[in-house]
Amino acid sequence: MYNHQLETFIRVADAGSFNKAAEESYITPTAIIKQINLLEDSLGVKLFKRTRRGLTLTKAGRSMYQDAKYIIQYCHDSVIRARNAMQEDSNVIRIGSSPMTPAQLLMELWSKVQTICPDIKFQIVPFENTPENAREILANLGTNIDVVGGIFDETMLHLRKCAGLELVRRPFYCAVSIHHKLAAKDRLQITDLYGENLLLMHRGWSHYVDELRDDLWQHHPQVNIVDFEFYSMDIFNRCENTNDVLLAIPGWANVHPLLKVIPVDWDYGIPYGILHSPNPTPAVQRFLDAAKIASKELYR
């Protein structure tokens, strides 16, 4: 919240000595002097007159002393206000949203959830879908983001150290460039994929994808499977810029305006639902319980 060298400055000013301030801080006088020198250098002013009798504040130091005490107290007060506000907003559910995990896919649930829990409110928190962000956000759900809507299975939950509530099973579709020959079709057969490059997430990411992969390898070797590492806008751009076909779900139809997401006649799909902390707060647990009830009515 503020430069902690200000606390050292106030302690030195009150003590009138580097040595006394060091004793109170349980550090060496050298460390105290270094902090004061760094503070003076960063501010571009001299805060102390150094004499044989000790230290006295300069005119600039006296001005800074009053302001520093105010800044520190104001910061402490602001933290208290923020914590109080957090308590008041304990019924706000923060929903993470990215191109691959759009919050819109949960919007159909909101009205039904609020009928069950009218005090619950929602806040959209956008984030960039990168491998680093995915690991950080999903491993720390409940810190800055409470829930994320997306596809998952037990393998993925274990890798990302989070939990998931399945709402519905989404079928696997295929995405192609609007300029691809398959874009003229409204539904695909597996034989339509013969001779095509089919982009699949690497083995081990999801056993649902691996089941499809194994079936294609065994019964449809004419489909050329190409692994990739992570669902992001880069892989959607690659799909649009090449003749490759990308495994997708219906909810990604609006991720890229130049791609068409097409259903396929196969019996493969993946759970879609709400990713959350393994230890959700009471408010998040209420939301999850309400979402479970609402999903039975919505997706039956």
Side-chain angles (χ1 to χ4, degrees):
M1 292 288 289
Y2 57 86
N3 188 333
H4 288 280
Q5 291 167 356
L6 292 177
E7 291 181 330
T8 301
F9 163 64
I10 290 175
R11 190 171 290 118
V12 171
D14 290 341
S17 162
F18 290 130
N19 290 334
K20 290 180 181 179
E23 290 176 4
E24 294 174 3
S25 304
Y26 301 101
I27 57 177
T28 65
T30 302
I32 291 287
I33 293 171
K34 184 177 181 180
Q35 288 188 48
I36 295 302
N37 288 341
L38 288 172
L39 180 61
E40 289 180 330
D41 289 343
S42 66
L43 296 175
V45 297
K46 283 294 181 183
L47 299 174
F48 292 101
K49 295 177 182 177
R50 294 160 171 81
T51 68
R52 292 181 179 178
R53 294 183 177 181
L55 302 173
T56 59
L57 289 168
T58 63
K59 185 175 181 179
R62 290 193 297 272
S63 174
M64 178 60 66
Y65 180 82
Q66 296 300 326
D67 290 340
K69 294 188 74 172
Y70 172 79
I71 289 169
I72 292 171
Q73 186 60 50
Y74 186 86
C75 288
H76 288 325
D77 292 344
S78 70
V79 171
I80 293 173
R81 287 192 294 270
R83 287 173 178 165
N84 291 337
M86 182 178 67
Q87 294 298 321
E88 293 172 1
D89 293 339
S90 60
N91 291 329
V92 173
I93 306 299
R94 299 162 298 178
I95 300 177
S97 181
S98 76
M100 304 304 109
T101 58
Q104 287 83 350
L105 296 182
L106 293 178
M107 287 181 65
E108 53 192 358
L109 273 178
W110 291 2
S111 61
K112 295 186 180 297
V113 167
Q114 288 192 311
T115 299
I116 301 169
C117 300
D119 58 318
I120 284 182
K121 297 179 175 60
F122 300 98
Q123 178 183 0
I124 305 299
V125 182
F127 67 91
E128 184 182 359
N129 202 62
T130 64
E132 296 76 19
N133 279 355
R135 284 193 295 268
E136 181 69 18
I137 290 170
L138 295 182
N140 294 282
L141 287 171
T143 303
N144 298 312
I145 292 174
D146 295 312
V147 298
V148 175
I151 57 175
F152 62 88
D153 67 5
E154 291 302 320
T155 303
M156 181 263 207
L157 295 179
H158 176 73
L159 288 173
R160 299 305 188 197
K161 300 178 182 179
C162 60
L165 170 65
E166 181 177 343
L167 299 176
V168 65
R169 190 65 56 98
R170 295 291 192 193
F172 283 132
Y173 282 23
C174 284
V176 297
S177 166
I178 58 174
H179 304 295
H180 195 289
K181 63 182 181 181
L182 294 180
K185 294 179 175 288
D186 293 324
R187 192 169 189 87
L188 300 178
Q189 305 296 319
I190 295 182
T191 53
D192 291 323
L193 301 177
Y194 286 5
E196 302 288 347
N197 290 334
L198 177 61
L199 302 174
L200 298 183
M201 277 286 282
H202 61 84
R203 181 175 291 279
W205 178 77
S206 165
H207 72 264
Y208 293 99
V209 177
D210 289 344
E211 284 178 351
L212 173 59
R213 177 198 308 274
D214 292 340
D215 180 39
L216 294 176
W217 274 358
Q218 184 175 358
H219 300 108
H220 306 278
Q222 300 90 335
V223 180
N224 182 31
I225 295 175
V226 178
D227 287 354
F228 67 94
E229 289 299 315
F230 187 75
Y231 273 112
S232 67
M233 191 55 69
D234 288 341
I235 198 65
F236 280 78
N237 285 332
R238 172 179 171 179
C239 179
E240 194 280 323
N241 292 326
T242 66
N243 282 322
D244 294 344
V245 179
L246 175 65
L247 190 70
I249 61 170
W252 293 344
N254 297 318
V255 169
H256 197 299
L258 298 180
L259 293 181
K260 182 178 180 180
V261 176
I262 311 171
V264 186
D265 279 333
W266 54 28
D267 294 324
Y268 291 97
I270 192 168
Y272 174 85
I274 301 172
L275 300 166
H276 59 89
S277 167
N279 300 298
T281 64
V284 172
Q285 187 60 60
R286 287 177 61 228
F287 166 69
L288 295 172
D289 292 341
K292 188 183 302 183
I293 295 171
S295 66
K296 290 180 181 178
E297 178 182 347
L298 190 62
Y299 301 119
R300 63 185 176 185

